Amino acid sequence: KQWYQRRVRGAFNRADKHARQMESFYRTNEREVLEYIVKSYLAGKFNKVPELFNLQESLSRSISKVVFALDKIWLSFILTTASSWQQIETLVATAKDDLSLIDCDNLIDNRDYNCNEQCSPRASELESL
């Protein structure tokens, strides 16, 4: 059981690192969009400003952004407070499906399903794996 606990703790550490990277991604994008809005005004390209404001709005209300922010909070909490495997299990069970503080009706799903090809392998292709 000890090796399993180390593996789980390592997985939590990797997940925490990933959540922090995604938070940085969104923070950087929001800052850069604001910079592009200012540059558009200065260059006199006023027709681009509404488009950039729409992009900023979709970034700030992104489902992915909210999910990663929550993951980062929970992972940080678990990694700093849990001292035993039982505490980790309790904290994870408590965190599951806790969306009471999120206004889910105003979030936007920014995923682009058209950018990746649909993959539907045939049964014969799966058997060869």
Side-chain angles (χ1 to χ4, degrees):
K1 189 171 182 174
Q2 198 70 298
W3 68 270
Y4 183 72
Q5 291 174 356
R6 283 194 308 271
R7 269 187 102 155
V8 169
R9 173 114 9 225
F12 276 115
N13 285 329
R14 287 189 301 277
D16 184 52
K17 179 181 176 184
H18 181 66
R20 289 177 193 279
Q21 288 172 340
M22 289 307 297
E23 181 190 38
S24 173
F25 167 78
Y26 280 104
R27 191 173 37 246
T28 301
N29 280 336
E30 287 175 355
R31 186 183 68 243
E32 287 179 354
V33 169
L34 289 174
E35 289 173 5
Y36 289 135
I37 290 171
V38 170
K39 287 179 183 179
S40 294
Y41 269 118
L42 293 175
K45 297 186 179 185
F46 302 110
N47 59 337
K48 291 291 183 185
V49 173
E51 186 179 322
L52 290 168
F53 273 116
N54 290 338
L55 176 61
Q56 181 186 25
E57 180 71 15
S58 68
L59 285 172
S60 67
R61 293 178 34 210
S62 170
I63 290 173
S64 298
K65 177 184 176 186
V66 172
V67 167
F68 282 114
L70 286 174
D71 284 349
K72 186 183 75 92
I73 291 167
W74 272 108
L75 288 166
S76 296
F77 181 69
I78 289 170
L79 291 171
T80 57
T81 61
S83 60
S84 70
W85 176 244
Q86 288 77 22
Q87 285 180 330
I88 290 175
E89 287 177 330
T90 303
L91 289 170
V92 169
T94 305
K96 188 177 180 185
D97 299 327
D98 185 14
L99 299 175
S100 60
L101 299 175
I102 302 171
D103 184 11
C104 295
D105 295 333
N106 289 323
L107 296 178
I108 299 171
D109 186 357
N110 290 326
R111 295 175 289 180
D112 184 2
Y113 293 104
N114 297 321
C115 67
N116 294 321
E117 293 182 26
Q118 293 293 329
C119 179
S120 300
R122 290 181 229 116
S124 61
E125 294 173 337
L126 291 175
E127 289 173 2
S128 66
L129 295 175

